[in-house]
Amino acid sequence: MSGETDISANKRAVVLGAIRKGLSARGDEPGRRGAVRVRLERSPDGLIPQRARLPRPELLAQFRARLEVQTAIVYEVETAEEVPQTIAELLSEAELPPRIACGSDAMIAALPWEEAGITCETDPQCYSTSEVSLTRALAAAAETGTLFFASGQENPVNLAFLPRLHIAIVREDAIVGSYEEAWQTLRAVFADGVLPPTVELVSGPSCTADIEQTLIRGAHGPVRLAVVVVR
């Protein structure tokens, strides 16, 4: 993996070097850096649809409805401490073992898993063989029922794609109306400038209708998506 990373970094350096040469720029000029900083701090919003401007209760209802249209299961709990028991009941109904794969997210790690009889597996070797994964969304957009996941050790990107059942936790106050607001939330979380490698947007279980317009679920990811909203 280290060798592949080095090769990718070298290729990226070559591409960026060619762009700088074409622009006759070094890339470290104060004026250019200032322009980029202003652009990031005052990034303009795109067109925001009316469905993303609804009153708060309607936005939350829309978020749930959009997910359920995509066959996702949505649970609502009053406190984070209720999450493990909710997931335990979900696994029991689905006849799945009480084992879930997760990263090192501090919020997830602090929950009372033992009381619910659930084992959290954080060893990356388990990711590709686990039937169930758990990650935390840092934001969500009600206009389409979309969850925003920032990859990293806390919530590894493969946990959203490898297991058959993906469970996501999201705080109710992290659910906003539009994509623009969701990106603003992420910018605030990563205000120190250390951005995640990728941001994954998930709006339901994996599905495709590319072949003869026949809908197939689980083609390139989880067959089921469950979302636990923490009020």
Side-chain angles (χ1 to χ4, degrees):
M1 180 63 71
S2 177
E4 294 179 2
T5 303
D6 291 342
I7 292 173
S8 298
N10 291 337
K11 290 182 178 179
R12 183 164 56 249
V14 170
V15 171
L16 293 177
I19 293 174
R20 291 191 186 99
K21 183 177 180 181
L23 295 173
S24 298
R26 299 190 312 274
D28 59 351
E29 297 90 338
R32 288 179 179 274
R33 295 180 69 86
V36 171
R37 184 171 60 254
V38 170
R39 175 75 176 180
L40 290 174
E41 292 174 351
R42 305 175 187 175
S43 56
D45 289 336
L47 293 176
I48 299 178
Q50 184 59 40
R51 65 175 181 270
R53 301 177 182 271
L54 299 173
R56 185 71 180 164
E58 294 180 35
L59 277 179
L60 296 175
Q62 179 176 245
F63 173 72
R64 177 170 189 148
R66 295 281 183 181
L67 281 168
E68 291 178 338
V69 163
Q70 298 296 328
T71 72
I73 308 169
V74 182
Y75 300 89
E76 296 179 11
V77 297
E78 292 298 328
T79 66
E81 285 68 25
E82 299 175 53
V83 171
Q85 186 57 44
T86 300
I87 292 178
E89 294 170 3
L90 166 63
L91 297 180
S92 177
E93 292 174 5
E95 298 183 349
L96 290 169
R99 307 179 72 86
I100 57 176
C102 57
S104 60
D105 187 277
M107 174 188 172
I108 293 176
L111 299 179
W113 297 107
E114 291 186 8
E115 294 179 15
I118 294 178
T119 300
C120 291
E121 300 176 324
T122 58
D123 184 352
Q125 303 253 347
C126 301
Y127 294 170
S128 61
T129 57
S130 295
E131 295 185 76
V132 185
S133 66
L134 175 66
T135 60
R136 182 166 67 97
L138 296 182
E143 64 172 299
T144 54
T146 300
L147 299 157
F148 286 63
F149 298 95
S151 64
Q153 292 183 351
E154 293 82 5
N155 293 279
V157 60
N158 45 4
L159 288 182
F161 297 100
L162 293 179
R164 303 296 284 171
L165 169 60
H166 176 205
I167 305 174
I169 300 175
V170 62
R171 289 174 55 92
E172 187 179 82
D173 57 11
I175 301 173
V176 295
S178 65
Y179 277 58
E180 285 74 11
E181 292 171 280
W183 284 114
Q184 288 173 10
T185 299
L186 290 178
R187 291 190 190 102
V189 171
F190 299 101
D192 59 2
V194 182
L195 299 176
T198 60
V199 175
E200 291 76 48
L201 276 59
V202 175
S203 302
S206 166
C207 61
T208 181
D210 290 344
I211 302 175
E212 298 182 354
Q213 300 301 298
T214 300
L215 185 64
I216 299 174
R217 300 196 183 280
H220 41 63
V223 176
R224 301 178 65 189
L225 171 68
V227 180
V228 183
V229 179
V230 180
R231 295 201 182 97

